Amino acid sequence: MMRHLFAVLLLFLFASCAKVLPPAPVGPIPSERQMAWHELQYYAFVHFNMNTFTDMEWGTGAEKPEQFNPSQLDTRQWARVAKEVGMKGIIITAKHHDGFCLWPTKTTEHSVKNSPWKNGKGDVLKDLSEACAEYGLKFGIYLSPWDRNHGDYGKPEYVADFHEQLRELLTNYGEVFEVWFDGANGGSGYYGGANETRKIDNKTYYEWEKTTAIVRELQPNAVIFSDGGPDIRWVGTEEGWANETNWSIMRRDEIYPGWPRYVELRSGHEDGTHWLPAEVNTSIRPGWYYHPREDHQVKSLPRLVQTYYESIGRNGNFLLNLPVDTRGLVHENDVQRLRALKNQIDMDFEIELAKGQSVTASNIRGNSTKYAAENVNDGDYNTYWATNDSSTTATITITFKEPTEVNRIVLQEYVPLGQRVQKFSVEVEEDSIWKRVADQTTIGYKRILRFDTAKTSRVRLNIEAAKGPPCISNLELYRAPSFLVTPGIERNKEGLVKLSVPDEQVDIFYTLDGSIPTKSATKYTVPFLVEAPTIIRTISFDPENGKSTEPISHRLDMPKKDWKVLSVSSGDLDNSELLIDENPNTFWATDEKDSKPQEIVIDLGGMENLQGFTYWPIQERYPFGILTDFEFFVSTNANSWIKVADGEFANIANSRLEQQIEFSPLRARYIKLRAKKVDGHGFRASFAEVGVLTIE
């Protein structure tokens, strides 16, 4: 009996001392190169090439090397800006679809070696790789498989040159962290003067297995990007967001360049066979290449902040394009907005609140300290809380020493063991009652959630479904300040004015009497009518800290509720209301087949004291029909017309802002705007918005 008892005690002792094994991997797991990529999070795309100088997005291949001639090219400025705003690397368009190479390649004469820049002795890739090294940035390359200049495109000879170009880029410029292959392949082009359309099988033509082997041989640490990787996938949109559900895995063997089911790339496949995380790419402007006409269309700070939360905050990496201008510099408007983005994100995540607080969990793997709950707030990604193999649900709770305000949570799974969480929620305790602030699906490498500010003693993460025992490496909490930006101002045709800010916690104050607004001015609560010419002045005010934005002013002229487009020289009159809808982001255009100067006639609905008119040019990414030369007429009866203005909208094609033309005051009811000349060929004219200036 005693011998049996001793044996039982010995077995118990050995069991208690046994090593607790980590959870087994679940599904595909990332490679070392993919994990290094995950850690980068935020880096720059630079579209700078022949298209910069031809003012195009896609060149034809017929361009001449002499056209590439930047006046102040400074890759150190690019790197300095990227480093300053928190980016970790730069990917450069070494060759776009037009085939022009930014390095002195041996494979074609269509390169910088035949350009006037540096008398043909320049090498943008060399300059940029050295600048990245100087500023501690990663260096990546974009190489277009499609080449609209190469005479042998479509034949095996071109593929040999394409592979040689890849070898040059991966051999001569130091370490490369990412190789980016575009999905655009085959179509019309110059092709050495043939000027024809050539189609290829984009699954087989480029010999992708050999292409991948070249990268693995020369840059084994580089990840390869394309629709289907093999390392990194496109997110399925160029607008800058991933879906809230975002798996880092996909059934990769189904995907190929130009895959028609690209919408699936936004969420990944829960039953994916390969680790294939999403890179969220977008441009800071409407276009990928620099166009002077977009200098006023740099993405707003609220839009960029939203992109940050919908890319990095949704288990993706954020690749933000900077269209370097014809000088060879990141434009000052872009730099200003990049700095504002960094400043806002820095404020949102300035002080981490969970570190050092008490942590408890409903389940700890084998009760081992190696997988303890405290691992989630120790600041070390490589330690994690894990549950027993039998548990795919669990909770973990942060308890504050005293009630604390929070409105952000950052979560990270330990993805070297796979992506597991399928469903989770977040709760905060207020007045001893648990309040749910988020219901979500995936976490992945990083998930960031925003919610209304709550003053709480405890925050709880509930893992409600997972593919295996949850492995959570990081849980951070923050109290981001209110998002303080100047109010947006909109007015509809009826004269109803709407003011807006992205943060509901921020107040808006305004005046209509010309005075400077303060927090003692009228507080905006609901849209209001402005039915006469008025200067509205507004501020945003943060009641938490008493800070406010600088006041902005906006002139509102007479509302257009009684206006009517009487006639147009050509085109669809039924849709012509778009040119007087008070929205410059919509437009109306005349018939493109017409071959004479175009005009529109508008009835103002009554006699008015006029002293000028306004014209908004079209704001589309690919504009057309912008009025450059005009005539403006007024009438009291729509029969007898008086010309009151005649002239040119100077540089309007490159500066697509509202144009204001004044003339001697007079009374009239009808106005006529004639397009004497438009930017481009023909006479087709476009109108985003037409208005008048009346006497106040």
Side-chain angles (χ1 to χ4, degrees):
M1 184 70 179
M2 291 297 294
R3 185 181 301 172
H4 177 71
L5 181 60
F6 178 76
V8 170
L9 290 172
L10 194 62
L11 285 172
F12 179 79
L13 179 64
F14 280 134
S16 64
C17 295
K19 182 179 181 181
V20 179
L21 297 175
V26 172
I29 61 174
S31 65
E32 288 187 16
R33 69 174 72 92
Q34 288 171 319
M35 277 307 303
W37 173 88
H38 274 295
E39 293 169 3
L40 295 176
Q41 295 284 273
Y42 178 40
Y43 40 95
F45 218 171
V46 168
H47 274 64
F48 175 72
N49 207 292
M50 182 62 74
N51 293 333
T52 309
F53 300 91
T54 58
D55 199 20
M56 298 178 70
E57 286 287 293
W58 282 16
T60 66
E63 298 80 14
K64 303 299 181 185
E66 304 85 66
Q67 293 174 268
F68 183 86
N69 193 20
S71 58
Q72 304 174 47
L73 179 56
D74 183 1
T75 57
R76 293 182 71 255
Q77 187 249 5
W78 310 356
R80 185 168 61 250
V81 168
K83 184 71 173 183
E84 176 189 341
V85 301
M87 293 175 163
K88 300 296 179 62
I90 299 176
I91 299 173
I92 175 71
T93 51
K95 183 190 78 171
H96 204 250
H97 311 324
D98 56 83
F100 186 78
C101 296
L102 293 182
W103 77 103
T105 176
K106 298 176 181 178
T107 64
T108 178
E109 296 303 304
H110 198 51
S111 82
V112 289
K113 67 185 179 184
N114 290 314
S115 77
W117 177 62
K118 291 190 174 181
N119 296 316
K121 304 298 182 184
D123 185 339
V124 179
L125 274 294
K126 180 176 183 293
D127 291 352
L128 180 58
S129 62
E130 291 176 351
C132 285
E134 178 182 348
Y135 283 91
L137 300 172
K138 300 291 185 179
F139 173 67
I141 59 163
Y142 165 117
L143 181 65
S144 172
W146 188 17
D147 192 318
R148 304 174 87 178
N149 174 267
H150 203 293
D152 287 330
Y153 183 80
K155 303 175 184 178
E157 289 82 356
Y158 167 71
V159 179
D161 279 350
F162 169 62
H163 288 164
E164 182 57 30
Q165 289 174 357
L166 184 60
R167 285 188 174 277
E168 290 177 353
L169 291 171
L170 300 182
T171 302
N172 299 323
Y173 302 104
E175 185 173 357
V176 173
F177 86 96
E178 183 168 341
V179 180
W180 218 95
F181 293 124
D182 202 305
N185 292 286
S188 62
Y190 175 71
Y191 302 130
N195 292 312
E196 60 188 17
T197 297
R198 297 180 181 177
K199 297 293 186 180
I200 52 94
D201 182 348
N202 53 15
K203 297 180 186 178
T204 61
Y205 174 62
Y206 300 106
E207 301 178 31
W208 288 115
E209 289 187 5
K210 184 175 181 180
T211 303
T212 298
I214 292 171
V215 179
R216 297 291 189 244
E217 171 197 349
L218 300 176
Q219 295 285 343
N221 295 323
V223 291
I224 301 173
F225 169 97
S226 73
D227 287 359
D231 297 306
I232 307 301
R233 78 177 194 260
W234 179 45
V235 77
T237 174
E238 294 182 347
E239 297 175 5
W241 50 271
N243 281 347
E244 288 186 302
T245 297
N246 184 14
W247 291 96
S248 291
I249 54 178
M250 293 204 74
R251 300 186 297 274
R252 194 181 70 188
D253 292 342
E254 298 177 9
I255 307 169
Y256 53 87
W259 191 50
R261 288 157 46 196
Y262 64 89
V263 172
E264 296 176 34
L265 297 170
R266 299 172 187 172
S267 290
H269 293 147
E270 186 173 346
D271 61 349
T273 56
H274 293 78
W275 194 264
L276 196 64
E279 185 174 75
V280 181
N281 62 321
T282 194
S283 183
I284 200 169
R285 294 170 176 237
W288 290 94
Y289 280 95
Y290 176 77
H291 308 289
R293 62 180 179 270
E294 294 177 354
D295 281 349
H296 71 294
Q297 290 183 309
V298 178
K299 281 187 169 66
S300 68
L301 178 59
R303 174 63 257 188
L304 289 174
V305 169
Q306 182 178 342
T307 300
Y308 182 92
Y309 280 100
E310 293 179 349
S311 56
I312 294 174
R314 291 183 178 175
N315 189 35
N317 275 13
F318 184 9
L319 176 61
L320 181 59
N321 180 62
L322 311 180
V324 167
D325 63 23
T326 52
R327 298 172 299 178
L329 302 174
V330 180
H331 194 276
E332 44 269 32
N333 292 3
D334 303 37
V335 174
Q336 181 183 33
R337 197 58 46 82
L338 288 166
R339 288 171 175 164
L341 173 61
K342 182 180 188 299
N343 182 60
Q344 186 62 46
I345 297 303
D346 284 350
M347 289 192 297
D348 282 6
F349 299 99
E350 183 177 6
I351 301 175
E352 205 283 290
L353 302 171
K355 192 169 186 178
Q357 305 299 325
S358 173
V359 190
T360 55
S362 62
N363 187 318
I364 298 172
R365 187 173 186 81
N367 291 317
S368 169
T369 57
K370 184 174 182 180
Y371 306 107
E374 288 81 2
N375 290 340
V376 302
N377 67 341
D378 65 358
D380 184 354
Y381 179 79
N382 293 311
T383 63
Y384 54 93
W385 160 60
T387 67
N388 291 319
D389 287 341
S390 60
S391 300
T392 56
T393 62
T395 64
I396 190 163
T397 305
I398 302 287
T399 301
F400 292 108
K401 296 179 178 67
E402 57 186 34
T404 303
E405 289 188 343
V406 295
N407 55 21
R408 301 285 190 278
I409 186 169
V410 178
L411 301 170
Q412 292 186 274
E413 288 186 80
Y414 186 68
V415 296
L417 294 177
Q419 188 176 354
R420 300 161 181 260
V421 175
Q422 297 165 303
K423 184 179 180 182
F424 72 95
S425 64
V426 178
E427 296 175 296
V428 298
E429 187 184 51
E430 291 183 316
D431 300 323
S432 300
I433 298 174
W434 285 104
K435 175 184 176 183
R436 186 166 291 211
V437 295
D439 279 292
Q440 286 297 334
T441 52
T442 54
I443 295 176
Y445 179 77
K446 182 175 285 188
R447 191 69 195 272
I448 307 174
L449 299 178
R450 295 178 285 181
F451 50 89
D452 291 340
T453 303
K455 191 168 187 177
T456 181
S457 296
R458 293 194 291 173
V459 177
R460 184 162 68 192
L461 169 65
N462 306 303
I463 308 297
E464 299 175 2
K467 293 182 174 185
C471 299
I472 304 299
S473 67
N474 194 26
L475 189 161
E476 299 174 4
L477 296 168
Y478 296 89
R479 200 297 187 198
S482 299
F483 189 10
L484 196 63
V485 293
T486 55
I489 303 174
E490 302 175 23
R491 184 174 70 159
N492 64 17
K493 284 188 66 173
E494 284 66 41
L496 200 64
V497 176
K498 179 182 178 181
L499 307 180
S500 61
V501 289
D503 192 330
E504 294 181 357
Q505 306 304 311
V506 170
D507 295 329
I508 303 173
F509 295 94
Y510 68 93
T511 63
L512 302 175
D513 60 4
S515 62
I516 302 298
T518 66
K519 65 178 182 178
S520 299
T522 304
K523 182 178 179 179
Y524 175 78
T525 54
V526 295
F528 55 91
L529 278 175
V530 173
E531 300 184 280
T534 303
I535 300 293
I536 180 172
R537 291 183 167 87
T538 69
I539 60 168
S540 297
F541 177 78
D542 184 356
E544 294 174 354
N545 56 26
K547 294 182 179 180
S548 64
T549 60
E550 291 295 320
I552 59 169
S553 299
H554 185 74
R555 187 180 191 275
L556 300 171
D557 214 289
M558 61 178 295
K560 300 177 180 178
K561 61 181 179 179
D562 298 323
W563 289 29
K564 182 180 179 181
V565 180
L566 283 186
S567 65
V568 294
S569 54
S570 68
D572 185 358
L573 182 61
D574 290 341
N575 293 324
S576 61
E577 293 295 313
L578 291 173
L579 64 87
I580 54 171
D581 65 354
E582 292 282 18
N583 183 1
N585 293 313
T586 62
F587 74 94
W588 178 85
T590 62
D591 192 333
E592 63 181 332
K593 297 179 180 179
D594 214 293
S595 58
K596 61 183 179 181
Q598 304 290 283
E599 63 184 34
I600 57 171
V601 176
I602 298 172
D603 178 3
L604 304 181
M607 295 292 289
E608 301 290 345
N609 296 315
L610 305 181
Q611 60 177 356
F613 79 95
T614 63
Y615 166 70
W616 266 103
I618 184 174
Q619 299 296 298
E620 294 291 293
R621 181 175 177 184
Y622 300 106
F624 64 91
I626 295 175
L627 278 63
T628 57
D629 294 71
F630 65 87
E631 291 178 317
F632 191 80
F633 305 82
V634 299
S635 173
T636 58
N637 55 19
N639 292 316
S640 302
W641 293 93
I642 302 172
K643 184 193 293 188
V644 292
D646 184 353
E648 175 187 8
F649 295 127
N651 198 37
I652 188 173
N654 289 328
S655 182
R656 293 181 296 155
L657 300 172
E658 183 184 47
Q659 308 293 306
Q660 296 189 0
I661 302 296
E662 295 186 0
F663 48 75
S664 299
L666 77 172
R667 286 180 62 77
R669 172 170 176 164
Y670 304 91
I671 61 173
K672 180 193 297 185
L673 176 57
R674 177 179 294 161
K676 290 176 61 179
K677 185 179 179 182
V678 300
D679 182 56
H681 302 290
F683 287 93
R684 189 185 189 197
S686 61
F687 307 81
E689 197 70 21
V690 174
V692 295
L693 301 174
T694 58
I695 300 174
E696 299 178 27

